[in-house]
Amino acid sequence: MYAQLVETGAKRVRTLEEMSPEERAFQERVDAEIKIEPKNWMPDGYRQTLIRQISQHAHSEVVGMLPEGNWVTRAPTLKRKLQLMAKIQDEAGHGLYLYSAMETLGADRDEEIEKLHSGKAKYSSIFNYPTISWADMGAIGWLVDGAAIVNQVVLQRTSYGPYSRAMIRICKEESFHQRQGYQILLDMMRGGTEEQKQMVQDSINRLWWPSLMMFGPHDDDSPNSQQSMAWKIKRKSNDELRQMFIDQTVPQLEFLGCTAPDPDLKWNEERGHYDFGEINWQEFYDVLKGNGPCNRERITTRKKAIEEGAWVREAAVAYAEKQKQRAAA
Amino acid sequence: MAEWSLYEVFVRSKHGLNHKHVGSVHASDPAMALENARDLYTRRNEGVSLWVVPSSAITASTGDEKEVLFDPSEDKVYRHASFYKLPDEVGHM
């Protein structure tokens, strides 16, 4: 979801009998729910898959700050501005926890960030949509962070120790994000003008489907899903997580007094779940490929931040060097 | 970033408790490491004291050494108080 499509390099999942002794010992450890730590032996495919997934996840946190940054100077009150800044600072922190977890696998942070900037590495498609009204700050907190929570709560049990620990830390902080978002919408629906209420509904209309796309494509019989599940990097399928999210979100949507832009959304007594319409997968793949409404703007902003901050990083190194020489003299 | 060092971060969550490892930060010097650690790991009253240690200064045991290092303690039950059965009359000891 924050990592929507992760290549594992596997053609099919191999049986224990087909594995080398060390790979078999590794798989048995995973099967026994014992966490894999940085110094343990691991198959190269496991390592590369994790680097791809964790870096995508980290990039999503970092790029995720940009749509919200748009509203820091436009927040309606000082209170809302402080809350928004606190949330954005959390996202930066989440990115850092994840980059650190990624580095324990031997990946280089600069190289992985370069892959983001060159378009080789992906980040969540959701952050390529524009934030055109204040209600979007509410809808993002409620829907986007809500979807992130569903995914990340499950990822706390992922098999790689540092990733799992980063998830536990992130989940502790994420609930504030969702609640502040929902409260923004609730305030607008309860005390707002007709125009403001319309703004909330409009925001939900635009962000509903992209939020459902966050969970990634259907789990077909793709070897990537199966391999990720066998390694217990992934613990639940994309479709299971999407259903969990919809089931918990629809009552909140009704409480707001709003509707979803999906005529097929209705409770199915027999299944004990909500039924919902088909996602526009063409749009999903287009956005993921770099052709969403804001892809170019997001990457341009990221690059600019890195380039224009170069002198600060250089100055910090020069200062540290000078302090060291002074201490030695 | 390549020129910046990696530091491991330890937080004392409450007075009287020991410092516990929480993660790592990049920084150009120890003072910046401390500032970054403060911003990253203690935004919600998580601590009352911080340590930062260059990651390169840590010597760690490897997973392969687990048996060699830690198995010998498994068969030394006499190191635990519960190994010594005393008559009830002795009372709490």
Side-chain angles (χ1 to χ4, degrees), chain A residues 57-274:
Chain A
H57 199 152
H59 299 331
S60 300
E61 300 283 356
V62 171
V63 177
M65 292 191 280
L66 303 179
E68 296 184 312
N70 190 33
W71 283 90
V72 170
T73 56
R74 301 178 174 98
T77 64
L78 180 60
K79 182 184 82 174
R80 291 294 187 200
K81 184 172 177 160
L82 289 172
Q83 291 167 349
L84 187 59
M85 287 196 297
K87 179 179 188 301
I88 294 171
Q89 194 188 14
D90 276 355
E91 308 300 358
H94 296 177
L96 290 172
Y97 301 152
L98 287 160
Y99 283 128
S100 291
M102 179 197 78
E103 285 172 308
T104 64
L105 292 156
D108 181 83
R109 194 182 299 204
D110 290 342
E111 275 173 30
E112 295 307 318
I113 289 175
E114 183 43 44
K115 283 183 198 162
L116 167 72
H117 292 175
S118 68
K120 238 195 265 170
K122 306 272 176 257
Y123 57 91
S124 181
S125 55
I126 189 76
F127 301 118
N128 291 313
Y129 292 87
T131 45
I132 58 178
S133 82
W134 172 249
D136 289 356
M137 293 302 98
I140 283 182
W142 171 47
L143 294 175
V144 175
D145 288 81
I149 290 170
V150 167
N151 179 62
Q152 293 176 152
V153 163
V154 179
L155 275 177
Q156 292 180 99
R157 294 191 298 117
T158 194
S159 59
Y160 187 57
Y163 192 25
S164 154
R165 291 190 284 276
M167 281 299 115
I168 291 168
R169 188 174 293 281
I170 287 174
C171 283
K172 262 193 222 159
E173 300 181 349
E174 204 81 78
S175 155
F176 137 61
H177 299 178
Q178 193 185 19
R179 290 170 70 116
Q180 67 89 34
Y182 193 68
Q183 199 199 50
I184 287 173
L185 299 182
L186 210 50
D187 280 3
M188 289 175 83
M189 289 306 289
R190 284 180 165 174
T193 61
E194 268 318 303
E195 215 180 348
Q196 286 168 327
K197 289 180 193 174
Q198 195 44 50
M199 222 184 253
V200 173
Q201 183 60 57
D202 169 68
S203 180
I204 293 170
N205 289 348
R206 282 181 289 107
L207 289 166
W208 181 262
W209 290 110
S211 300
L212 299 187
M213 290 177 200
M214 287 174 67
F215 296 93
H218 289 306
D219 308 276
D220 40 22
D221 302 322
S222 91
N224 286 329
S225 293
Q226 288 175 6
Q227 182 60 75
S228 257
M229 293 283 233
W231 280 333
K232 296 191 194 288
I233 293 176
K234 227 172 135 164
R235 305 300 309 239
K236 274 193 169 37
S237 75
N238 296 350
D239 288 322
E240 269 178 286
L241 292 167
R242 188 165 17 241
Q243 184 73 61
M244 275 170 71
F245 172 68
I246 290 175
D247 289 347
Q248 74 177 43
T249 304
V250 173
Q252 298 162 0
L253 176 76
E254 286 166 356
F255 187 79
L256 272 180
C258 293
T259 57
D262 179 0
D264 297 325
L265 183 72
K266 59 174 178 299
W267 179 251
N268 183 327
E269 192 64 55
E270 209 173 297
R271 287 203 311 131
H273 293 292
Y274 283 91

Side-chain angles (χ1 to χ4, degrees), chain A residues 39-41 86 89-90 92-94 96-97 100 103 108-110 169 173 176-177 312-313 316-317 319-320 323, chain B residues 1-4 6 21-26 28-29 32 39-41 43-44 46 59-64 66:
Chain A
K39 291 199 164 188
N40 295 139
W41 184 91
Q89 194 188 14
D90 276 355
H94 296 177
L96 290 172
Y97 301 152
S100 291
E103 285 172 308
D108 181 83
R109 194 182 299 204
D110 290 342
R169 188 174 293 281
E173 300 181 349
F176 137 61
H177 299 178
V312 180
R313 295 191 299 279
V317 173
Y319 176 78
Q323 292 300 104
Chain B
M1 193 76 84
E3 293 156 294
W4 290 21
L6 192 63
H21 183 245
V22 291
S24 51
V25 290
H26 283 270
S28 60
D29 64 16
M32 188 199 274
D39 285 346
L40 190 55
Y41 293 104
R43 289 199 301 282
R44 292 183 174 81
E46 287 93 339
T59 307
S61 65
T62 66
D64 317 340
K66 188 175 157 279

